[in-house]
Amino acid sequence: MITVAAVVFRDADGRMLAVRKRGTDRFLLPGGKLEPGESPAEAAAREVQEELGVRVTPDELTLLGEFEAAAANEPDHVVRSTVFTHPAAITPCAAAEIAELRWASLEELSSDPSVAALTRDHVVPALR
């Protein structure tokens, strides 16, 4: 079991931000693994700063839910993600291990096989 925290960002057109990490082919939410002693919201805020260069605070995040699915980039593992939403528009910049940013509609994300199962099968339906 891999435990992570992630954040849903939406733009003015309702599209959601997905990221692809270097050396992988799946798009997923920005976020990552918790460090010892971190809450999921603290980890999500830290990871967003590292991956997107966007500063958010834990109190700006709203819990969407906790979801489990097959890990997108680690075969034979399950990922459990605490997923938050953020209310404001952002201007992300790919940093750290992020190779590509993608803004896509919920419809596009729900039908694209390159989108991680957790995002496609759990987060997108929760947002609808």
Side-chain angles (χ1 to χ4, degrees):
M1 179 70 65
I2 301 166
T3 304
V4 300
V7 181
V8 172
F9 293 102
R10 310 275 299 262
D11 68 8
D13 296 322
R15 296 177 304 169
M16 188 171 84
L17 179 64
V19 300
R20 186 181 57 77
K21 295 184 179 191
R22 269 188 212 93
T24 68
D25 59 357
R26 300 277 184 203
F27 283 89
L28 40 88
L29 296 174
K33 296 174 184 168
L34 283 68
E35 291 185 354
E38 262 185 332
S39 72
E42 290 167 337
R46 176 185 51 77
E47 287 284 345
V48 164
Q49 172 69 38
E50 292 172 5
E51 294 180 351
L52 305 177
V54 173
R55 182 156 292 175
V56 301
T57 62
D59 62 309
E60 293 173 313
L61 303 176
T62 300
L63 180 65
L64 177 65
E66 192 170 285
F67 309 101
E68 287 184 15
N73 299 316
E74 298 181 34
D76 303 318
H77 286 81
V78 173
V79 65
R80 175 182 292 146
S81 183
T82 303
V83 179
F84 300 92
T85 60
H86 186 268
I90 63 165
T91 305
C93 180
E97 71 268 23
I98 302 303
E100 186 177 355
L101 303 174
R102 174 183 176 195
W103 290 98
S105 71
L106 296 182
E107 291 74 29
E108 291 169 322
L109 294 171
S110 67
S111 63
D112 186 342
S114 71
V115 174
L118 189 132
T119 300
R120 185 185 61 240
D121 301 337
H122 299 286
V123 174
V124 168
L127 289 168
R128 289 186 167 150

